[in-house]
Amino acid sequence: MNDNKHMCSICGAPIEPDIAGLNYKYLGGTIKQIRCLDCLAEFLEVDKNALFKQIEYFRSMGCIYFKCCSDINEKVCKIASDCGFSDDEMERLKNGETVISYRFIPTFEELRSIYSRADEKIRKARAEVFFNAKNISSRSRIGQGIHDRFEKNLFAFNGPPSESDIEGIRKHQPHPVKFFSAFEVKVKENECLDFSAHADDFNLGCGDDLLCSVNIGTLILEKGASVCVRGNLFSFICQKIVKKGNGTSDINILPTSFSYSPGYNTFKTNFDGCNGKNGIDGKNGYDNYTPHLNSSLLGDLHFGDERGEKNGTNGYSGENGSDGEKGCCGGAAKICEIFINSIELYGESPLYIKGKAGDGGNGGNGGNGGNGGDGGEGGGAYKVFTPEGEILSFDQGKNGNGGNGGNGGRGGNGGNGGICSNIFVEIPPELTEKIVCVSEAGKGGEGGIGGSGGAAGSGYHNGVKGLDGKNGVSGHSRSGPPIYVNSVFVTQDLT
């Protein structure tokens, strides 16, 4: 027995896991009330000593409810050894340490031999359903199809890859893998343990496929606790999960925290497009002047060379606002396999396994058009005394025309939801009622709002107001990851 104790639903006495196992064995794996040995014996109307002796019998028969710590730890050590842990790493693991290592696996053949825990029977079953989901089969002819076939070879079963696929696989060699092994991992209340491998761990860029292999004996999730991985090809093996709370998000397969979108030619961590810049206001027209006048018996007259009406100059048009930037596509959720051999529930809810496609970023708003400049003021009316002795009269100058307002920029289009891959869950058949699998779609981002047209400048003839920019188009959503339990499609969509 170990020290993971819980409370009897009847009398409140502490319960050892093996006694909980008796409850599951005799009353079913989905029961909500767990009884101590005394209360269970009374409920079953049997002798408690005889009931207690059944523990060793069931354990010897290999029942998953009575796996002792040594059995679980042996499996953890076997998997760690198969994954190539060094003698030093194995010694640390056996001493109870959590051992994390980062390694490059030179070839795909070596990676396939150590990475996935699926045997040939499971691989063949996965292969039969691998491309069943439309959101995966539909991309077989584009570049992403090479990645999908690579994942099928790694996690399932496939024929020899084509020459073009081999060339695509070689671009990702050597394969960066994070290995995580521990006998026991406890996640504190309301915390999330992120297993993700990061590009910085391997001195790589964001575009490289990262793999993460997690090998745990017993995972204890306190109330509200959870685990996750973000954008890694993920292999998760856990001999036993103990869930103490009623959370609805226990194991989370999440998308990358960055996006690669056509047109940007770079990876972006900010999914939303930038707003367009506002247009600069047009300058006002220049005011004209009234020629210098001298007093005379004939009134105020100009005795110089000025002639004609002194009109103001036109105002300048406002600059157009620039378009908002398009939002990025959502991050990609990568393929995942999950092996769980035993589940203990000490709350009202099952164990939730959730896959999430990335949400697209919102488009940036268009910039506002600049305002048109006002026309310059005309000079005043005046009279000229010419050398010939004539008096010429000129009317007050007209104000200049107002400048047109700049057009508003177009709102950027929203980014599409991110792509995703399969999630394969492998559990004993009797545990299927203890889990719920949820797949959440990647939502399209909202289109940005078009910028307002700039105001018209005033003048002899007013300018024209700028046109408002059109709103961007919202991105489209993409389906969440297909989830298979023992190679049977079970996804519950959450949109």
Side-chain angles (χ1 to χ4, degrees), residues 41-75:
E42 182 179 350
F43 181 79
L44 296 175
E45 298 181 349
V46 298
D47 180 70
K48 74 173 185 178
N49 292 324
L51 184 61
F52 184 78
K53 291 179 181 180
Q54 294 296 301
I55 294 173
E56 288 304 322
Y57 169 73
F58 289 131
R59 180 177 288 132
S60 68
M61 297 297 290
C63 180
I64 61 171
Y65 296 130
F66 303 95
K67 296 289 185 183
C68 65
C69 288
S70 60
D71 292 335
I72 291 176
N73 294 349
E74 281 182 15
K75 291 185 176 181

PDB file of all heavy atoms in Angstrom, residues 41-75:
ATOM      1  N   ALA A  41     -17.379  -3.990   3.921  1.00  0.00           N
ATOM      2  CA  ALA A  41     -17.725  -5.343   4.360  1.00  0.00           C
ATOM      3  C   ALA A  41     -19.165  -5.394   4.847  1.00  0.00           C
ATOM      4  O   ALA A  41     -19.905  -6.361   4.558  1.00  0.00           O
ATOM      5  CB  ALA A  41     -16.755  -5.790   5.457  1.00  0.00           C
ATOM      6  N   GLU A  42     -19.590  -4.366   5.591  1.00  0.00           N
ATOM      7  CA  GLU A  42     -20.972  -4.312   6.070  1.00  0.00           C
ATOM      8  C   GLU A  42     -21.953  -4.210   4.905  1.00  0.00           C
ATOM      9  O   GLU A  42     -23.002  -4.879   4.891  1.00  0.00           O
ATOM     10  CB  GLU A  42     -21.146  -3.115   7.003  1.00  0.00           C
ATOM     11  CG  GLU A  42     -22.547  -2.993   7.586  1.00  0.00           C
ATOM     12  CD  GLU A  42     -22.691  -1.809   8.521  1.00  0.00           C
ATOM     13  OE1 GLU A  42     -21.654  -1.199   8.858  1.00  0.00           O
ATOM     14  OE2 GLU A  42     -23.836  -1.498   8.907  1.00  0.00           O
ATOM     15  N   PHE A  43     -21.592  -3.408   3.893  1.00  0.00           N
ATOM     16  CA  PHE A  43     -22.475  -3.230   2.743  1.00  0.00           C
ATOM     17  C   PHE A  43     -22.600  -4.519   1.940  1.00  0.00           C
ATOM     18  O   PHE A  43     -23.681  -4.892   1.462  1.00  0.00           O
ATOM     19  CB  PHE A  43     -21.928  -2.104   1.854  1.00  0.00           C
ATOM     20  CG  PHE A  43     -22.756  -1.812   0.649  1.00  0.00           C
ATOM     21  CD1 PHE A  43     -23.919  -1.047   0.746  1.00  0.00           C
ATOM     22  CD2 PHE A  43     -22.382  -2.295  -0.606  1.00  0.00           C
ATOM     23  CE1 PHE A  43     -24.695  -0.788  -0.367  1.00  0.00           C
ATOM     24  CE2 PHE A  43     -23.153  -2.026  -1.724  1.00  0.00           C
ATOM     25  CZ  PHE A  43     -24.313  -1.270  -1.612  1.00  0.00           C
ATOM     26  N   LEU A  44     -21.448  -5.252   1.807  1.00  0.00           N
ATOM     27  CA  LEU A  44     -21.452  -6.495   1.023  1.00  0.00           C
ATOM     28  C   LEU A  44     -21.891  -7.698   1.859  1.00  0.00           C
ATOM     29  O   LEU A  44     -22.083  -8.803   1.301  1.00  0.00           O
ATOM     30  CB  LEU A  44     -20.049  -6.764   0.458  1.00  0.00           C
ATOM     31  CG  LEU A  44     -19.502  -5.732  -0.548  1.00  0.00           C
ATOM     32  CD1 LEU A  44     -18.055  -6.071  -0.909  1.00  0.00           C
ATOM     33  CD2 LEU A  44     -20.366  -5.692  -1.806  1.00  0.00           C
ATOM     34  N   GLU A  45     -21.996  -7.468   3.193  1.00  0.00           N
ATOM     35  CA  GLU A  45     -22.392  -8.535   4.125  1.00  0.00           C
ATOM     36  C   GLU A  45     -21.398  -9.695   4.079  1.00  0.00           C
ATOM     37  O   GLU A  45     -21.762 -10.876   3.941  1.00  0.00           O
ATOM     38  CB  GLU A  45     -23.813  -9.022   3.820  1.00  0.00           C
ATOM     39  CG  GLU A  45     -24.860  -7.926   3.984  1.00  0.00           C
ATOM     40  CD  GLU A  45     -26.278  -8.416   3.703  1.00  0.00           C
ATOM     41  OE1 GLU A  45     -26.423  -9.549   3.176  1.00  0.00           O
ATOM     42  OE2 GLU A  45     -27.235  -7.682   4.001  1.00  0.00           O
ATOM     43  N   VAL A  46     -20.089  -9.347   4.176  1.00  0.00           N
ATOM     44  CA  VAL A  46     -19.035 -10.355   4.203  1.00  0.00           C
ATOM     45  C   VAL A  46     -18.082 -10.022   5.348  1.00  0.00           C
ATOM     46  O   VAL A  46     -18.089  -8.908   5.886  1.00  0.00           O
ATOM     47  CB  VAL A  46     -18.252 -10.407   2.873  1.00  0.00           C
ATOM     48  CG1 VAL A  46     -19.167 -10.801   1.724  1.00  0.00           C
ATOM     49  CG2 VAL A  46     -17.593  -9.064   2.585  1.00  0.00           C
ATOM     50  N   ASP A  47     -17.227 -10.980   5.697  1.00  0.00           N
ATOM     51  CA  ASP A  47     -16.229 -10.768   6.735  1.00  0.00           C
ATOM     52  C   ASP A  47     -15.134  -9.854   6.213  1.00  0.00           C
ATOM     53  O   ASP A  47     -14.602 -10.053   5.108  1.00  0.00           O
ATOM     54  CB  ASP A  47     -15.625 -12.114   7.156  1.00  0.00           C
ATOM     55  CG  ASP A  47     -14.569 -11.945   8.233  1.00  0.00           C
ATOM     56  OD1 ASP A  47     -14.918 -11.613   9.365  1.00  0.00           O
ATOM     57  OD2 ASP A  47     -13.370 -12.101   7.874  1.00  0.00           O
ATOM     58  N   LYS A  48     -14.778  -8.829   6.982  1.00  0.00           N
ATOM     59  CA  LYS A  48     -13.815  -7.849   6.477  1.00  0.00           C
ATOM     60  C   LYS A  48     -12.425  -8.446   6.301  1.00  0.00           C
ATOM     61  O   LYS A  48     -11.666  -8.049   5.418  1.00  0.00           O
ATOM     62  CB  LYS A  48     -13.773  -6.625   7.381  1.00  0.00           C
ATOM     63  CG  LYS A  48     -13.077  -6.801   8.701  1.00  0.00           C
ATOM     64  CD  LYS A  48     -12.957  -5.441   9.419  1.00  0.00           C
ATOM     65  CE  LYS A  48     -12.154  -5.551  10.701  1.00  0.00           C
ATOM     66  NZ  LYS A  48     -12.003  -4.235  11.368  1.00  0.00           N
ATOM     67  N   ASN A  49     -12.042  -9.419   7.146  1.00  0.00           N
ATOM     68  CA  ASN A  49     -10.723 -10.039   6.999  1.00  0.00           C
ATOM     69  C   ASN A  49     -10.644 -10.850   5.706  1.00  0.00           C
ATOM     70  O   ASN A  49      -9.640 -10.830   4.997  1.00  0.00           O
ATOM     71  CB  ASN A  49     -10.414 -10.927   8.202  1.00  0.00           C
ATOM     72  CG  ASN A  49     -10.225 -10.112   9.479  1.00  0.00           C
ATOM     73  OD1 ASN A  49      -9.676  -9.001   9.438  1.00  0.00           O
ATOM     74  ND2 ASN A  49     -10.691 -10.639  10.603  1.00  0.00           N
ATOM     75  N   ALA A  50     -11.715 -11.546   5.408  1.00  0.00           N
ATOM     76  CA  ALA A  50     -11.755 -12.304   4.155  1.00  0.00           C
ATOM     77  C   ALA A  50     -11.727 -11.354   2.959  1.00  0.00           C
ATOM     78  O   ALA A  50     -11.091 -11.634   1.934  1.00  0.00           O
ATOM     79  CB  ALA A  50     -13.003 -13.179   4.122  1.00  0.00           C
ATOM     80  N   LEU A  51     -12.415 -10.247   3.128  1.00  0.00           N
ATOM     81  CA  LEU A  51     -12.442  -9.270   2.046  1.00  0.00           C
ATOM     82  C   LEU A  51     -11.043  -8.681   1.822  1.00  0.00           C
ATOM     83  O   LEU A  51     -10.599  -8.522   0.672  1.00  0.00           O
ATOM     84  CB  LEU A  51     -13.435  -8.153   2.392  1.00  0.00           C
ATOM     85  CG  LEU A  51     -13.672  -7.074   1.332  1.00  0.00           C
ATOM     86  CD1 LEU A  51     -14.236  -7.677   0.058  1.00  0.00           C
ATOM     87  CD2 LEU A  51     -14.616  -5.996   1.876  1.00  0.00           C
ATOM     88  N   PHE A  52     -10.334  -8.411   2.932  1.00  0.00           N
ATOM     89  CA  PHE A  52      -9.003  -7.821   2.824  1.00  0.00           C
ATOM     90  C   PHE A  52      -8.028  -8.763   2.113  1.00  0.00           C
ATOM     91  O   PHE A  52      -7.159  -8.317   1.353  1.00  0.00           O
ATOM     92  CB  PHE A  52      -8.478  -7.484   4.225  1.00  0.00           C
ATOM     93  CG  PHE A  52      -7.155  -6.783   4.219  1.00  0.00           C
ATOM     94  CD1 PHE A  52      -7.074  -5.417   3.929  1.00  0.00           C
ATOM     95  CD2 PHE A  52      -5.984  -7.462   4.486  1.00  0.00           C
ATOM     96  CE1 PHE A  52      -5.854  -4.767   3.912  1.00  0.00           C
ATOM     97  CE2 PHE A  52      -4.763  -6.819   4.474  1.00  0.00           C
ATOM     98  CZ  PHE A  52      -4.696  -5.457   4.186  1.00  0.00           C
ATOM     99  N   LYS A  53      -8.194 -10.065   2.342  1.00  0.00           N
ATOM    100  CA  LYS A  53      -7.294 -11.041   1.721  1.00  0.00           C
ATOM    101  C   LYS A  53      -7.451 -11.095   0.202  1.00  0.00           C
ATOM    102  O   LYS A  53      -6.558 -11.584  -0.495  1.00  0.00           O
ATOM    103  CB  LYS A  53      -7.530 -12.430   2.322  1.00  0.00           C
ATOM    104  CG  LYS A  53      -7.087 -12.550   3.774  1.00  0.00           C
ATOM    105  CD  LYS A  53      -7.367 -13.950   4.323  1.00  0.00           C
ATOM    106  CE  LYS A  53      -6.933 -14.060   5.783  1.00  0.00           C
ATOM    107  NZ  LYS A  53      -7.206 -15.411   6.331  1.00  0.00           N
ATOM    108  N   GLN A  54      -8.573 -10.589  -0.278  1.00  0.00           N
ATOM    109  CA  GLN A  54      -8.803 -10.606  -1.717  1.00  0.00           C
ATOM    110  C   GLN A  54      -7.853  -9.658  -2.461  1.00  0.00           C
ATOM    111  O   GLN A  54      -7.639  -9.796  -3.675  1.00  0.00           O
ATOM    112  CB  GLN A  54     -10.251 -10.203  -2.021  1.00  0.00           C
ATOM    113  CG  GLN A  54     -11.295 -11.192  -1.529  1.00  0.00           C
ATOM    114  CD  GLN A  54     -11.147 -12.530  -2.246  1.00  0.00           C
ATOM    115  OE1 GLN A  54     -11.236 -12.606  -3.457  1.00  0.00           O
ATOM    116  NE2 GLN A  54     -10.920 -13.578  -1.468  1.00  0.00           N
ATOM    117  N   ILE A  55      -7.288  -8.700  -1.730  1.00  0.00           N
ATOM    118  CA  ILE A  55      -6.409  -7.720  -2.385  1.00  0.00           C
ATOM    119  C   ILE A  55      -5.233  -8.418  -3.059  1.00  0.00           C
ATOM    120  O   ILE A  55      -4.938  -8.186  -4.239  1.00  0.00           O
ATOM    121  CB  ILE A  55      -5.907  -6.669  -1.377  1.00  0.00           C
ATOM    122  CG1 ILE A  55      -7.077  -5.813  -0.880  1.00  0.00           C
ATOM    123  CG2 ILE A  55      -4.815  -5.789  -1.996  1.00  0.00           C
ATOM    124  CD1 ILE A  55      -6.706  -4.852   0.238  1.00  0.00           C
ATOM    125  N   GLU A  56      -4.517  -9.274  -2.307  1.00  0.00           N
ATOM    126  CA  GLU A  56      -3.358  -9.958  -2.866  1.00  0.00           C
ATOM    127  C   GLU A  56      -3.759 -10.886  -3.999  1.00  0.00           C
ATOM    128  O   GLU A  56      -3.016 -11.047  -4.986  1.00  0.00           O
ATOM    129  CB  GLU A  56      -2.609 -10.725  -1.779  1.00  0.00           C
ATOM    130  CG  GLU A  56      -1.849  -9.830  -0.808  1.00  0.00           C
ATOM    131  CD  GLU A  56      -0.877  -8.906  -1.531  1.00  0.00           C
ATOM    132  OE1 GLU A  56      -0.250  -9.327  -2.523  1.00  0.00           O
ATOM    133  OE2 GLU A  56      -0.754  -7.739  -1.115  1.00  0.00           O
ATOM    134  N   TYR A  57      -4.938 -11.511  -3.869  1.00  0.00           N
ATOM    135  CA  TYR A  57      -5.399 -12.401  -4.932  1.00  0.00           C
ATOM    136  C   TYR A  57      -5.624 -11.615  -6.222  1.00  0.00           C
ATOM    137  O   TYR A  57      -5.132 -11.998  -7.296  1.00  0.00           O
ATOM    138  CB  TYR A  57      -6.689 -13.097  -4.513  1.00  0.00           C
ATOM    139  CG  TYR A  57      -7.361 -13.836  -5.662  1.00  0.00           C
ATOM    140  CD1 TYR A  57      -6.832 -15.028  -6.156  1.00  0.00           C
ATOM    141  CD2 TYR A  57      -8.505 -13.310  -6.268  1.00  0.00           C
ATOM    142  CE1 TYR A  57      -7.435 -15.681  -7.224  1.00  0.00           C
ATOM    143  CE2 TYR A  57      -9.117 -13.956  -7.329  1.00  0.00           C
ATOM    144  CZ  TYR A  57      -8.566 -15.142  -7.807  1.00  0.00           C
ATOM    145  OH  TYR A  57      -9.158 -15.780  -8.863  1.00  0.00           O
ATOM    146  N   PHE A  58      -6.333 -10.516  -6.121  1.00  0.00           N
ATOM    147  CA  PHE A  58      -6.602  -9.711  -7.319  1.00  0.00           C
ATOM    148  C   PHE A  58      -5.313  -9.132  -7.899  1.00  0.00           C
ATOM    149  O   PHE A  58      -5.158  -9.046  -9.113  1.00  0.00           O
ATOM    150  CB  PHE A  58      -7.593  -8.588  -7.003  1.00  0.00           C
ATOM    151  CG  PHE A  58      -8.992  -9.066  -6.749  1.00  0.00           C
ATOM    152  CD1 PHE A  58      -9.706  -8.632  -5.633  1.00  0.00           C
ATOM    153  CD2 PHE A  58      -9.613  -9.941  -7.622  1.00  0.00           C
ATOM    154  CE1 PHE A  58     -10.991  -9.071  -5.394  1.00  0.00           C
ATOM    155  CE2 PHE A  58     -10.916 -10.383  -7.392  1.00  0.00           C
ATOM    156  CZ  PHE A  58     -11.604  -9.948  -6.278  1.00  0.00           C
ATOM    157  N   ARG A  59      -4.391  -8.759  -7.011  1.00  0.00           N
ATOM    158  CA  ARG A  59      -3.113  -8.226  -7.490  1.00  0.00           C
ATOM    159  C   ARG A  59      -2.354  -9.288  -8.262  1.00  0.00           C
ATOM    160  O   ARG A  59      -1.753  -9.012  -9.319  1.00  0.00           O
ATOM    161  CB  ARG A  59      -2.287  -7.707  -6.325  1.00  0.00           C
ATOM    162  CG  ARG A  59      -0.934  -7.145  -6.756  1.00  0.00           C
ATOM    163  CD  ARG A  59      -0.144  -6.555  -5.598  1.00  0.00           C
ATOM    164  NE  ARG A  59      -0.736  -5.302  -5.171  1.00  0.00           N
ATOM    165  CZ  ARG A  59      -1.007  -4.985  -3.914  1.00  0.00           C
ATOM    166  NH1 ARG A  59      -0.740  -5.864  -2.953  1.00  0.00           N
ATOM    167  NH2 ARG A  59      -1.541  -3.836  -3.607  1.00  0.00           N
ATOM    168  N   SER A  60      -2.344 -10.525  -7.749  1.00  0.00           N
ATOM    169  CA  SER A  60      -1.631 -11.611  -8.424  1.00  0.00           C
ATOM    170  C   SER A  60      -2.246 -11.939  -9.774  1.00  0.00           C
ATOM    171  O   SER A  60      -1.566 -12.452 -10.671  1.00  0.00           O
ATOM    172  CB  SER A  60      -1.633 -12.869  -7.540  1.00  0.00           C
ATOM    173  OG  SER A  60      -2.964 -13.403  -7.416  1.00  0.00           O
ATOM    174  N   MET A  61      -3.530 -11.623  -9.929  1.00  0.00           N
ATOM    175  CA  MET A  61      -4.218 -11.858 -11.201  1.00  0.00           C
ATOM    176  C   MET A  61      -3.987 -10.723 -12.193  1.00  0.00           C
ATOM    177  O   MET A  61      -4.460 -10.766 -13.333  1.00  0.00           O
ATOM    178  CB  MET A  61      -5.718 -12.033 -10.968  1.00  0.00           C
ATOM    179  CG  MET A  61      -6.074 -13.249 -10.119  1.00  0.00           C
ATOM    180  SD  MET A  61      -5.596 -14.809 -10.906  1.00  0.00           S
ATOM    181  CE  MET A  61      -6.788 -14.863 -12.250  1.00  0.00           C
ATOM    182  N   GLY A  62      -3.273  -9.670 -11.752  1.00  0.00           N
ATOM    183  CA  GLY A  62      -2.964  -8.556 -12.641  1.00  0.00           C
ATOM    184  C   GLY A  62      -4.046  -7.508 -12.738  1.00  0.00           C
ATOM    185  O   GLY A  62      -4.020  -6.678 -13.655  1.00  0.00           O
ATOM    186  N   CYS A  63      -4.991  -7.479 -11.799  1.00  0.00           N
ATOM    187  CA  CYS A  63      -6.079  -6.497 -11.851  1.00  0.00           C
ATOM    188  C   CYS A  63      -5.512  -5.081 -11.712  1.00  0.00           C
ATOM    189  O   CYS A  63      -4.692  -4.810 -10.837  1.00  0.00           O
ATOM    190  CB  CYS A  63      -7.088  -6.770 -10.739  1.00  0.00           C
ATOM    191  SG  CYS A  63      -8.466  -5.590 -10.719  1.00  0.00           S
ATOM    192  N   ILE A  64      -5.971  -4.185 -12.573  1.00  0.00           N
ATOM    193  CA  ILE A  64      -5.417  -2.829 -12.598  1.00  0.00           C
ATOM    194  C   ILE A  64      -5.707  -2.050 -11.332  1.00  0.00           C
ATOM    195  O   ILE A  64      -5.034  -1.073 -11.027  1.00  0.00           O
ATOM    196  CB  ILE A  64      -5.962  -2.043 -13.807  1.00  0.00           C
ATOM    197  CG1 ILE A  64      -7.488  -1.918 -13.721  1.00  0.00           C
ATOM    198  CG2 ILE A  64      -5.523  -2.651 -15.117  1.00  0.00           C
ATOM    199  CD1 ILE A  64      -8.059  -0.972 -14.756  1.00  0.00           C
ATOM    200  N   TYR A  65      -6.736  -2.460 -10.550  1.00  0.00           N
ATOM    201  CA  TYR A  65      -7.087  -1.711  -9.347  1.00  0.00           C
ATOM    202  C   TYR A  65      -6.132  -1.980  -8.193  1.00  0.00           C
ATOM    203  O   TYR A  65      -6.194  -1.307  -7.170  1.00  0.00           O
ATOM    204  CB  TYR A  65      -8.504  -2.053  -8.906  1.00  0.00           C
ATOM    205  CG  TYR A  65      -9.568  -1.659  -9.896  1.00  0.00           C
ATOM    206  CD1 TYR A  65     -10.537  -2.574 -10.302  1.00  0.00           C
ATOM    207  CD2 TYR A  65      -9.617  -0.383 -10.429  1.00  0.00           C
ATOM    208  CE1 TYR A  65     -11.522  -2.223 -11.209  1.00  0.00           C
ATOM    209  CE2 TYR A  65     -10.589  -0.016 -11.334  1.00  0.00           C
ATOM    210  CZ  TYR A  65     -11.548  -0.942 -11.731  1.00  0.00           C
ATOM    211  OH  TYR A  65     -12.520  -0.589 -12.629  1.00  0.00           O
ATOM    212  N   PHE A  66      -5.220  -2.954  -8.358  1.00  0.00           N
ATOM    213  CA  PHE A  66      -4.350  -3.357  -7.244  1.00  0.00           C
ATOM    214  C   PHE A  66      -2.880  -3.417  -7.658  1.00  0.00           C
ATOM    215  O   PHE A  66      -2.122  -4.232  -7.165  1.00  0.00           O
ATOM    216  CB  PHE A  66      -4.785  -4.722  -6.707  1.00  0.00           C
ATOM    217  CG  PHE A  66      -6.218  -4.752  -6.261  1.00  0.00           C
ATOM    218  CD1 PHE A  66      -7.198  -5.190  -7.141  1.00  0.00           C
ATOM    219  CD2 PHE A  66      -6.596  -4.305  -5.013  1.00  0.00           C
ATOM    220  CE1 PHE A  66      -8.535  -5.198  -6.757  1.00  0.00           C
ATOM    221  CE2 PHE A  66      -7.932  -4.307  -4.623  1.00  0.00           C
ATOM    222  CZ  PHE A  66      -8.913  -4.749  -5.503  1.00  0.00           C
ATOM    223  N   LYS A  67      -2.534  -2.531  -8.564  1.00  0.00           N
ATOM    224  CA  LYS A  67      -1.129  -2.466  -8.947  1.00  0.00           C
ATOM    225  C   LYS A  67      -0.334  -1.818  -7.811  1.00  0.00           C
ATOM    226  O   LYS A  67      -0.623  -0.695  -7.409  1.00  0.00           O
ATOM    227  CB  LYS A  67      -0.963  -1.637 -10.217  1.00  0.00           C
ATOM    228  CG  LYS A  67      -1.646  -2.246 -11.448  1.00  0.00           C
ATOM    229  CD  LYS A  67      -0.930  -3.474 -11.916  1.00  0.00           C
ATOM    230  CE  LYS A  67      -1.556  -3.989 -13.211  1.00  0.00           C
ATOM    231  NZ  LYS A  67      -0.916  -5.235 -13.651  1.00  0.00           N
ATOM    232  N   CYS A  68       0.655  -2.518  -7.289  1.00  0.00           N
ATOM    233  CA  CYS A  68       1.452  -1.936  -6.214  1.00  0.00           C
ATOM    234  C   CYS A  68       2.473  -0.973  -6.797  1.00  0.00           C
ATOM    235  O   CYS A  68       2.764  -0.979  -7.984  1.00  0.00           O
ATOM    236  CB  CYS A  68       2.156  -3.022  -5.398  1.00  0.00           C
ATOM    237  SG  CYS A  68       3.399  -3.956  -6.323  1.00  0.00           S
ATOM    238  N   CYS A  69       3.022  -0.138  -5.938  1.00  0.00           N
ATOM    239  CA  CYS A  69       3.953   0.886  -6.404  1.00  0.00           C
ATOM    240  C   CYS A  69       5.152   0.275  -7.114  1.00  0.00           C
ATOM    241  O   CYS A  69       5.641   0.822  -8.105  1.00  0.00           O
ATOM    242  CB  CYS A  69       4.422   1.738  -5.237  1.00  0.00           C
ATOM    243  SG  CYS A  69       3.153   2.842  -4.595  1.00  0.00           S
ATOM    244  N   SER A  70       5.630  -0.873  -6.621  1.00  0.00           N
ATOM    245  CA  SER A  70       6.801  -1.481  -7.250  1.00  0.00           C
ATOM    246  C   SER A  70       6.482  -1.910  -8.676  1.00  0.00           C
ATOM    247  O   SER A  70       7.318  -1.771  -9.581  1.00  0.00           O
ATOM    248  CB  SER A  70       7.286  -2.680  -6.428  1.00  0.00           C
ATOM    249  OG  SER A  70       6.260  -3.663  -6.334  1.00  0.00           O
ATOM    250  N   ASP A  71       5.274  -2.418  -8.910  1.00  0.00           N
ATOM    251  CA  ASP A  71       4.874  -2.804 -10.268  1.00  0.00           C
ATOM    252  C   ASP A  71       4.854  -1.576 -11.174  1.00  0.00           C
ATOM    253  O   ASP A  71       5.349  -1.618 -12.306  1.00  0.00           O
ATOM    254  CB  ASP A  71       3.488  -3.453 -10.260  1.00  0.00           C
ATOM    255  CG  ASP A  71       3.476  -4.802  -9.566  1.00  0.00           C
ATOM    256  OD1 ASP A  71       4.550  -5.433  -9.515  1.00  0.00           O
ATOM    257  OD2 ASP A  71       2.409  -5.216  -9.081  1.00  0.00           O
ATOM    258  N   ILE A  72       4.258  -0.510 -10.687  1.00  0.00           N
ATOM    259  CA  ILE A  72       4.158   0.717 -11.481  1.00  0.00           C
ATOM    260  C   ILE A  72       5.538   1.279 -11.772  1.00  0.00           C
ATOM    261  O   ILE A  72       5.860   1.632 -12.907  1.00  0.00           O
ATOM    262  CB  ILE A  72       3.291   1.757 -10.749  1.00  0.00           C
ATOM    263  CG1 ILE A  72       1.828   1.300 -10.726  1.00  0.00           C
ATOM    264  CG2 ILE A  72       3.421   3.123 -11.396  1.00  0.00           C
ATOM    265  CD1 ILE A  72       0.903   2.212  -9.940  1.00  0.00           C
ATOM    266  N   ASN A  73       6.389   1.325 -10.755  1.00  0.00           N
ATOM    267  CA  ASN A  73       7.725   1.898 -10.932  1.00  0.00           C
ATOM    268  C   ASN A  73       8.579   1.072 -11.884  1.00  0.00           C
ATOM    269  O   ASN A  73       9.397   1.612 -12.630  1.00  0.00           O
ATOM    270  CB  ASN A  73       8.414   2.041  -9.585  1.00  0.00           C
ATOM    271  CG  ASN A  73       7.726   3.062  -8.695  1.00  0.00           C
ATOM    272  OD1 ASN A  73       6.853   3.803  -9.150  1.00  0.00           O
ATOM    273  ND2 ASN A  73       8.100   3.102  -7.431  1.00  0.00           N
ATOM    274  N   GLU A  74       8.385  -0.241 -11.858  1.00  0.00           N
ATOM    275  CA  GLU A  74       9.117  -1.099 -12.794  1.00  0.00           C
ATOM    276  C   GLU A  74       8.756  -0.752 -14.236  1.00  0.00           C
ATOM    277  O   GLU A  74       9.620  -0.719 -15.120  1.00  0.00           O
ATOM    278  CB  GLU A  74       8.809  -2.575 -12.519  1.00  0.00           C
ATOM    279  CG  GLU A  74       9.558  -3.154 -11.349  1.00  0.00           C
ATOM    280  CD  GLU A  74       9.245  -4.634 -11.157  1.00  0.00           C
ATOM    281  OE1 GLU A  74       8.675  -5.243 -12.104  1.00  0.00           O
ATOM    282  OE2 GLU A  74       9.546  -5.169 -10.091  1.00  0.00           O
ATOM    283  N   LYS A  75       7.467  -0.480 -14.474  1.00  0.00           N
ATOM    284  CA  LYS A  75       7.046  -0.117 -15.830  1.00  0.00           C
ATOM    285  C   LYS A  75       7.636   1.227 -16.240  1.00  0.00           C
ATOM    286  O   LYS A  75       8.042   1.409 -17.389  1.00  0.00           O
ATOM    287  CB  LYS A  75       5.518  -0.083 -15.907  1.00  0.00           C
ATOM    288  CG  LYS A  75       4.880  -1.449 -15.795  1.00  0.00           C
ATOM    289  CD  LYS A  75       3.375  -1.383 -16.000  1.00  0.00           C
ATOM    290  CE  LYS A  75       2.764  -2.774 -15.983  1.00  0.00           C
ATOM    291  NZ  LYS A  75       1.304  -2.761 -16.207  1.00  0.00           N
TER     292      LYS A  75
END
